[in-house]
Amino acid sequence: MSALTGFFGSKKGIVATGLFIGVVAAVLQKLGNPANMGICVACMERDIAGALGFHRAAVVQYIRPEIIGFVLGALIAALAFREFRARSGSAPMVRFILGFFAMVGALVFLGCPWRALLRLAGGDGNAIVGLAGLFTGVGIGVLFIRSGYSLGASKKTYTAAGWLMPVVMIALLLLLLGNTVWGASKSLVYPEPDKFAPFFSEKGPGSQYAPLAISLGAALIIGFLAQRTRFCTMGAVRDVMLMREMHLMWGVIALVVGAFVTNYVLGQFNPGFAGQPVAHTAHVWNFGGMMLSGLAFALAGGCPGRQLFLSGEGDGDAAIFVMGMIVGAGFAHNFATASSPAGPGLWGPASVVAGLAVCLVIGFTMRQKA
Amino acid sequence: MAEKLDMRGLSCPQPVFETKKKIELMGSGTLEVLVDSGTSRDNVTRLAESKGWNVSIKEQDDEFTLTLSK
């Protein structure tokens, strides 16, 4: 067990994890997931929000098994290596708001950091603009961390409290299975099933998905590996800026290389800016959206993937961040802040400005005096 | 008397960042860092070893005492 722990903590471990995620994401696209969206934590949580009826964008509604697998895979790893620790109480409402605006920003860009990397690996030039925004946002967060920003310590709590998020994910899995492979439960329950959740897109990205068992299996493995190696896209950028520490960055680089090579082999690499799948070319808002997300992730201590893995190992504060993201997704589509391939939504730019203002206030006011 | 840093409950990067500041300030000596997650244990250990400090780890009741020395 200790040899395994050593491997996961090593450079080889993080590189293997990044490679695995990159290859799997590209393969999931081949098997049915939307283009350059083999894995996108923000998009997939948004699809879940839609499936539950929290927004009415009919093209992005599906209970994505990848999200479920990430949390449960991390749970299995945490239990196997005795790292499951129920904890919470570090500024939960702040984390909720940070999750909310992280999602608002991600949906202006159309993707979380994972998807930004996958878009890059698929040849989407707009991803470069988004990643520049992400680096800028994390950079601002690093300045706050340097000047004493902290959301304070969490506390140990009841073991059952740490299980809540995994149980939510099991419930979502049952809802998904009940309305897909096991039949259509809701049509047995409601006289007018179309009016009631869960909703599943009939066209658009929400209707595109890889076979459930493959998505779930791949996500369980990713959740397991990422829990062990602490894989985090935001953390990679942050650690380089804050401490000149490259460890996590090797994982990110490996992800891009893995996805690029796989895309190339599968004929999924299409370089360019215009007409890229589920993307737009409004550079200012591609930059601004990801800058907002990057800042929110840095202030909350993890990218959306990492927050899912933490929630699987008992971190209630990370779970609250995830809930903030899901609510943010509902808001973004209900209030026209989310972009579409045609460009930013009506209130997209305003929501980015408002989100940045809120994050700056959080950064400036929540600093511990040395 | 070893210097102490209580990082329990704090999430990364704080434990690593505070440890880094502290050992750079100390230059050499002995520092005890208290953490309560595997992530913090691994990150602080990796940082300290990369700076040439020896690390010994003691686990008790889900908490870790990392003794850094140089």
Side-chain angles (χ1 to χ4, degrees), chain A residues 225-239:
Chain A
L225 292 174
Q227 193 281 334
R228 296 312 308 146
T229 58
R230 335 295 188 199
F231 181 87
C232 177
T233 56
M234 184 288 299
V237 179
R238 177 200 63 204
D239 288 356

Side-chain angles (χ1 to χ4, degrees), chain A residues 131-146 234 237-239 241-242 290-291 294-296 298-299:
Chain A
L131 287 168
L134 179 75
F135 282 40
T136 308
V138 175
I140 298 170
V142 165
L143 293 178
F144 284 124
I145 294 167
R146 278 189 199 282
M234 184 288 299
V237 179
R238 177 200 63 204
D239 288 356
M241 290 180 175
L242 186 65
M290 267 288 102
M291 179 166 84
L295 176 54
L299 293 177

